[in-house]
Amino acid sequence: MTRTSPAGRTGTGTVKIAFIGAGSVVFTQGLLADLLAFPELRRIHVALHDIDAERLATAEGAARYIAGTRGAEPVVTAHLDRRAALQDADFVVNTVQVGMNEATRTDFGIPARYGLRQTIGDTLGIGGIFRALRTFPLLRALADDIAELCPDAWLLNYTNPMAMNVMYLAQATPLRRVVGLCHSVYWTVRDLADLLHVPYEEISYLAAGVNHQAWVLRFERDGQNLYPLLDEVIAKDPQLLRRVRVDMYRRLGYYPTETSEHSSEYVPWYLHHDSEVERLRLPIGTYLDIVEENTAEYERTRDALASGSPLPVEGTMEYAPQIVHSIVSGSPRTVYGNVPNHGLVDNLPAAAVVEVPCLVDSLGVQPTRVGALPPQCAALNRAYASANELVVRAAVEGEPRHIRHAAMTDPATAAALPVERIWDLCDDLVRAHADLLQPELREVLGH
């Protein structure tokens, strides 16, 4: 078919999308269900890569099943060799989780022995820091392969911690066609629409900030501000006051774009206090339950394919399929993306990765300048961005002390532990994750 390529050139050929970490089968299924629903994308080349042969085979089987239900005829290939999957790709979707479930349990188990509470542990804080540090070597190798094998491809990153990973890619690799994708802005506004009984399609909104801590800056219907209606709904339901994001909204004036479980980890006010954990019903360690459920859902998919049972094929409203469709077809749309600041948000650091609306069309992903955030929101985002910068500097400069500096700077960690315990905790996690870290960062420093 004739298409406009990601480079903006008109050419012929089949659009190739490489899925790196395709063994995240359920997530891969959702993305494929969305992709193959577009008529223009029903004959794409889907190249699946994973290092786990069983999960890769399951992903391939699911892809073929979804294609059948969608009436699509994609080319589906499966590769244990990443480079084969990347060769001549137009888009690369990254969903890799380095270390998988065992590493995640370590991220929760060791800090818990220090009395440090976490709920999700994938974005900021101790969990986010070490998830990033063990992901960076993979990102460096992936970027080197993309630069060689498909230099014009767009890298669509879903792997957390989103902001740290995109910042690392910007600073440590030659890639520039990179955007980090997260559904939190979209689902926040969908949930607010349901809460207010207002059709989502009638709402206009603008959000900006950093990933998992952006803010709904404008929230309107027919040009009328919907925040007063939200205030009325909250006032009538005391249970809403027992949500972290509602508490933050009431105090800061702008609704945060991530769940209460996530939001509680990025500030010093909640997890360290027993009374707040109880008042706001914070589920400590909840991500470990999510890990187990994800494993169980993968096993259900694997077993269904083996037995010939039907699989659910549901769209996800994720941004990656929309981006692919807009670039290939030229149909413009707006999505929210995580990109280097470069003047997009005036009162956040230039090197920070920010989450802003982006126009997508045949020219690619084009971020929108937002201007200045409200000062109270920017202040929280700057603390988040400072920790991110130190983690990335640790890797780029090979400086293990910056790992500790990042933990000292992190709001929730600093609220919970004295500085010597923070360094001890970092030493323990370095020992536990050493095989997954770049060699320069494996040093145990003591106090």
Side-chain angles (χ1 to χ4, degrees), residues 176-314:
R176 293 298 173 263
R177 292 186 169 192
V178 178
V179 60
L181 302 177
C182 175
H183 53 217
S184 62
V185 172
Y186 170 79
W187 284 111
T188 291
V189 178
R190 293 287 317 206
D191 290 345
L192 286 173
D194 292 343
L195 186 63
L196 302 186
H197 303 291
V198 174
Y200 170 79
E201 293 74 19
E202 297 180 12
I203 292 176
S204 299
Y205 61 93
L206 171 68
V210 293
N211 182 237
H212 290 175
Q213 198 187 61
W215 315 93
V216 181
L217 303 175
R218 293 178 59 187
F219 182 45
E220 300 174 354
R221 181 192 195 189
D222 296 330
Q224 298 296 311
N225 185 6
L226 286 172
Y227 269 137
L229 179 58
L230 177 60
D231 294 338
E232 293 176 13
V233 171
I234 291 171
K236 294 175 182 177
D237 186 352
Q239 292 305 309
L240 289 175
L241 299 176
R242 301 187 67 191
R243 297 182 183 179
V244 164
R245 66 201 310 197
V246 172
D247 192 76
M248 291 178 66
Y249 161 62
R250 290 176 63 238
R251 300 177 193 281
L252 298 168
Y254 296 89
Y255 204 78
T257 62
E258 213 6 294
T259 64
S260 292
E261 292 81 6
H262 274 283
S263 295
S264 67
E265 292 190 307
Y266 316 142
V267 294
W269 313 316
Y270 301 117
L271 286 170
H272 182 51
H273 304 284
D274 292 343
S275 60
E276 292 296 84
V277 170
E278 181 178 358
R279 176 175 77 92
L280 299 167
R281 300 171 292 187
L282 289 171
I284 307 303
T286 187
Y287 192 70
L288 295 175
D289 296 331
I290 296 172
V291 165
E292 296 304 323
E293 175 53 31
N294 287 345
T295 300
E297 195 166 359
Y298 159 72
E299 291 172 348
R300 288 192 291 270
T301 298
R302 178 198 62 197
D303 295 345
L305 287 168
S307 65
S309 302
L311 290 177
V313 179
E314 300 175 356

Side-chain angles (χ1 to χ4, degrees), residues 133-187:
L133 292 172
R134 63 178 182 266
T135 304
F136 291 164
L138 176 280
L139 293 179
R140 171 68 71 89
L142 175 61
D144 287 346
D145 285 348
I146 291 173
E148 177 186 350
L149 300 169
C150 50
D152 291 331
W154 279 93
L155 174 56
L156 310 178
N157 180 70
Y158 276 103
T159 295
N160 283 322
M162 182 64 67
M164 293 189 214
N165 286 340
V166 174
M167 182 184 287
Y168 179 82
L169 286 163
Q171 296 188 13
T173 80
L175 300 189
R176 293 298 173 263
R177 292 186 169 192
V178 178
V179 60
L181 302 177
C182 175
H183 53 217
S184 62
V185 172
Y186 170 79
W187 284 111

Side-chain angles (χ1 to χ4, degrees), residues 97-159:
Q97 182 182 344
V98 176
M100 293 291 289
N101 297 349
E102 181 180 354
T104 299
R105 294 188 187 98
T106 298
D107 285 343
F108 277 86
I110 292 177
R113 295 203 294 268
Y114 281 77
L116 183 62
R117 293 165 169 164
Q118 299 178 95
T119 51
I120 306 295
D122 72 350
T123 299
L124 206 60
I126 287 294
I129 289 169
F130 280 88
R131 182 178 282 238
L133 292 172
R134 63 178 182 266
T135 304
F136 291 164
L138 176 280
L139 293 179
R140 171 68 71 89
L142 175 61
D144 287 346
D145 285 348
I146 291 173
E148 177 186 350
L149 300 169
C150 50
D152 291 331
W154 279 93
L155 174 56
L156 310 178
N157 180 70
Y158 276 103
T159 295

